[in-house]
Amino acid sequence: MESEKQPKRSNLNPIWWVIMVGLLAWNLYAFWPRSQPQITLPYSSFIAQVKDDHVKTVQISGSSIKGEFTQPMPGSDLILPTAPVPGTTVGSTTPVTYTTFTTTYPEVVGDTTLLPLLTAHNVEVSVTPSSSPLLALVLTYGLPILLMVGFLVLLGRQASRGQETIFSFGRSKARRFVEDNNKVTFKDVAGADEAKRELKEVVDFLRSPQKYHKLGARIPRGVLLVGPPGTGKTLLGRAVAGEANVPFYNISASEFVEMFVGVGASRVRTLFEQAKTTAPAIVFIDELDAVGRRRGAGIGTVNDEREQTLNQLLVEMDGFDANHEIIILAATNRPDVLDPALLRPGRFDRQVNVALPDRKGREGILQIHTRQINLASDIDLNTLARSTTGLSGADLANLCNEAALVAASKNHDSVDMQDFEEAIDRIILGEVRPLILEEEDRRIVAYHESGHALVAWLTPNTDPVHKVTIIPHGRALGVTEQMPEEDRYNYTKDELLARIRVMLGGRSAEEIACDDITTGAENDLVEATRLARRMITRWGMGSIGLQTIDTDETQPFLGYELTQGRDYSEQTAALIDRNIQAILDQCHNEVKSMLEREHAKLDALVDTLLKDETIDQDDLERILGPRVGAAMLAVDSKA
């Protein structure tokens, strides 16, 4: 599908400037004074000068004769003394000399002696076809006038277009996608099987609306696609239009709102009028929360333009004729801030959750985005899908492009597995930093990452360690990367405690081997504390019981009203803190005991890291022996 281009305000075409410059050059050539003095001679004086051997060359064109003297000639010698000499004034004593002349050939007389006379006196004669005076007159005088009139007309049209732009300020900016041979269908969408199943019913509504009208059923007014950014909500909307073979209008909600009150409402009306004229049709509104935020949620702030736009949208969705086959698709990643009036039955009747893809979905997305890439024989998309847990469809598309860029920078003929692994590190961890560490700093980083790896290797209910490196990436001085074998959606308390132990492994290794602590464990401590707090306040895994307490400060809206301060007592807050500290202390002590028992393995792992800088799963098994426990939980710990 491709978008119809909207009319744009055209500037002056460059060809007009070329024509005007050429016209100016023509006029300058025609009227610019010649450097050589020229005199107009009577025909009799011309014949006399030929007979005196004063003429060198002549050029005959029709009845006009142009010539050149053999040497500069005084004007007084060329014409009768009684006639005024051109170029002189009364009382002038300065003689005027001429090098060229013009005269008129008396065609009516039919002088047949001119050419023999010129030949006898060795005059060089050239003849050119006579040009039409009318054509020269038109090119010299008429064409500039015509071009000037055209230029003024063009300026007038541009001024009228500017006025139209002012008066069309309230028109809809929706872009209509029409069919072509490469239209998007459900085959081009992977990783959203549940959403596709729900949307196939919408496609059937648009393909066979009469089937539902006969039964008295009402076609759903709106479908809200909810999900994180990059999960393919817009792509799903275009796929629905491609499957249903109907016009598709795409607009971002932010394009409705302008600084002038009433413009957004006018654009909403125009959009729905356009959709009704091409029904059945689909209208897709991206980022609906830009205009659909809950009214009255702000304290002391009112956005009249946004609220009027929302009101008009509500009116238009409620005012649909039951027989109008128009479906509104909208996408948002913040359904919690939408106005309840938008979500009631009769408007957005259905909500389709477009979640992050699972392993099978990620593999399907990778297959789609690697169609145009020359892959090497060692590429295993299943392994890549396992190692990209948590990435959205847009992230995976970027991954394939980054891998191709890496392969091109290395002059590879095809993209191999190593290129994809480097692209994954670049996306998740950041670029490799050309940072030269002191030997003592490298040793601390090696112990830190070895502590993560050893704890993850010897603790049950953790994911297998895929790679350990002390090469700086992004803001991390080293990385311990774990690869989950399967996607998990539900976790036990033991699995969460195992994750905290792995996070504290780096800090504990520093305490044991370096007799000191550094700032490198900041991110580990933040994540471990956050996970422990959720265990206590969200999942009922502490001594406060089964009650849940919302302490997540990242959510600006709690229910339908903004809360003022926290909704629990000081005693409860102190109990939460004690529970969190107890979990962290318990895991910390267990990890220190484990590392002290396995000090030899820790040192062996550090020596290998200092030597090779990066080790993989096979090296870990060779150094540490068989791994303990099954892979359950994904952990990505950074130093």
Side-chain angles (χ1 to χ4, degrees), residues 42 51 68 113 133 188 233 281 312 333 405-406 441 450 464 614 635:
K51 293 178 179 179
E68 181 181 359
T113 62
D188 301 308
K233 297 185 290 294
Q312 186 64 41
N333 54 6
L405 294 177
V406 171
D441 290 333
S450 298
T614 301
V635 178

Side-chain angles (χ1 to χ4, degrees), residues 281-302:
I282 292 177
V283 176
F284 182 81
I285 304 176
D286 202 4
E287 303 298 340
L288 181 63
D289 51 279
V291 296
R293 286 180 175 269
R294 184 178 298 109
R295 290 167 290 186
I299 301 176
T301 59
V302 177

Side-chain angles (χ1 to χ4, degrees), residues 439-449 510 514 518:
E439 190 62 30
E440 181 62 21
D441 290 333
R442 292 182 73 249
R443 177 174 172 271
I444 293 174
V445 174
Y447 268 105
H448 185 104
E449 299 306 327
E510 291 180 19
C514 304
T518 67

Side-chain angles (χ1 to χ4, degrees), residues 7 108 130 153 334 353 401 428 565 598:
V108 294
S130 60
V153 170
R334 292 296 306 277
N353 184 33
N401 184 63
I428 298 178
E598 305 294 343

Side-chain angles (χ1 to χ4, degrees), residues 307-443:
E307 293 197 1
Q308 284 199 21
T309 304
L310 174 59
N311 292 336
Q312 186 64 41
L313 180 61
L314 296 175
V315 170
E316 292 291 344
M317 292 189 69
D318 209 25
F320 273 1
D321 187 345
N323 294 325
H324 273 150
E325 292 85 22
I326 300 176
I327 291 182
I328 310 300
L329 289 180
T332 182
N333 54 6
R334 292 296 306 277
D336 55 313
V337 303
L338 294 180
D339 194 281
L342 272 175
L343 305 179
R344 74 159 176 83
R347 292 193 175 119
F348 283 103
D349 299 298
R350 301 188 178 186
Q351 291 192 28
V352 177
N353 184 33
V354 187
L356 291 173
D358 56 11
R359 182 175 59 82
K360 182 180 178 181
R362 292 194 297 273
E363 185 176 356
I365 294 173
L366 289 171
Q367 289 176 352
I368 291 177
H369 291 296
T370 54
R371 290 174 181 171
Q372 308 299 326
I373 298 178
N374 186 18
L375 299 178
S377 58
D378 66 337
I379 291 295
D380 186 357
L381 296 182
N382 185 24
T383 301
L384 289 175
R386 287 177 51 208
S387 61
T388 53
T389 302
L391 296 188
S392 65
D395 295 329
L396 295 173
N398 185 40
L399 170 63
C400 296
N401 184 63
E402 286 289 341
L405 294 177
V406 171
S409 65
K410 295 181 178 180
N411 298 321
H412 291 176
D413 295 331
S414 59
V415 183
D416 55 24
M417 203 67 178
Q418 184 64 34
D419 297 327
F420 270 98
E421 290 183 0
E422 187 172 338
I424 291 174
D425 291 342
R426 180 180 297 182
I427 293 174
I428 298 178
L429 307 177
E431 290 281 354
V432 176
R433 285 194 296 168
L435 183 63
I436 300 177
L437 298 177
E438 298 291 339
E439 190 62 30
E440 181 62 21
D441 290 333
R442 292 182 73 249
R443 177 174 172 271

